[in-house]
Amino acid sequence: MSTQQTPSTPSPSTAERPTRITVLAGVNALEGVALAVGGIYLLIVGLLGKLESTQQAETVGITLVALGAIPLVAARGLLLLRSWSRGPALITQIMALPVAWTLLRSQGALIPTGIVLAVVAVTGLVLVLNPATTQDLGIRRGPRTTPDA
C-alpha cells in the first residue's frame, strides 16, 4: 500500500463558481422563465378563444416560449462555466432594455414592471460585461497568437 496521496485538484465542474456568475445565471433564468410563462399564458388564452385575435395570441405565445429558451440555455451554460454562454446572456440583456423602455413609457401596472425589468437587465449587463466574468469563463482577450509552422 502506497503512502503517497494523489493531489486533489478540483476539476472545472467541481471548482467553486464565482458569485457573479451564479447571479448572472439566475438573472438569465429569471428572464427565461418569465418569457416562457408569458408565452404559455398567451397560448392558453389564445386556445380558449378569450382574445379578439386568437391566431396572434398563439403566434406571440409560441415566439415567447422560443425566446425564453435562449436565456435558459445561457443560464445553464453559465452554471457550467461555458464560454459560449456569455453571448446569449449578453444578447438577452440588450434585448430586454427596449422592452423595459416601452413598459416605462406606458401606463398603469406596466410601469413598475418596466422598472423591475430595467433593473434586472442593467444588473445582467454589468455582470456579463465585467472583465472578471470574461476571465472566469475562460475567454481570452486580445489577438490570438498561433505558433508558426
Side-chain angles (χ1 to χ4, degrees):
M1 189 156 147
S2 173
T3 58
Q4 293 181 350
Q5 293 181 347
T6 58
S8 61
T9 57
S11 67
S13 61
T14 61
E16 187 173 326
R17 184 181 316 107
T19 305
R20 85 181 77 64
I21 299 286
T22 305
V23 172
L24 179 58
V27 165
N28 276 275
L30 175 69
E31 291 170 334
V33 167
L35 283 167
V37 167
I40 291 169
Y41 171 76
L42 283 175
L43 278 172
I44 292 171
V45 171
L47 290 173
L48 295 176
K50 295 187 177 184
L51 296 175
E52 285 183 26
S53 175
T54 58
Q55 184 178 8
Q56 184 177 6
E58 292 166 4
T59 303
V60 172
I62 290 170
T63 303
L64 287 178
V65 170
L67 286 175
I70 296 170
L72 288 172
V73 169
R76 173 113 170 104
L78 287 166
L79 287 175
L80 297 174
L81 298 175
R82 304 288 192 245
S83 61
W84 58 262
S85 61
R86 185 173 181 254
L90 178 62
I91 290 168
T92 299
Q93 305 318 312
I94 290 172
M95 290 179 65
L97 289 174
V99 176
W101 178 254
T102 302
L103 292 173
L104 286 170
R105 298 191 52 154
S106 61
Q107 298 176 3
L110 295 178
I111 293 174
T113 305
I115 292 169
V116 170
L117 181 58
V119 168
V120 169
V122 169
T123 301
L125 274 174
V126 167
L127 291 171
V128 78
L129 294 175
N130 188 335
T133 301
T134 303
Q135 183 180 8
D136 291 336
L137 292 174
I139 300 170
R140 292 192 290 170
R141 298 181 67 160
R144 294 184 181 199
T145 57
T146 57
D148 294 285

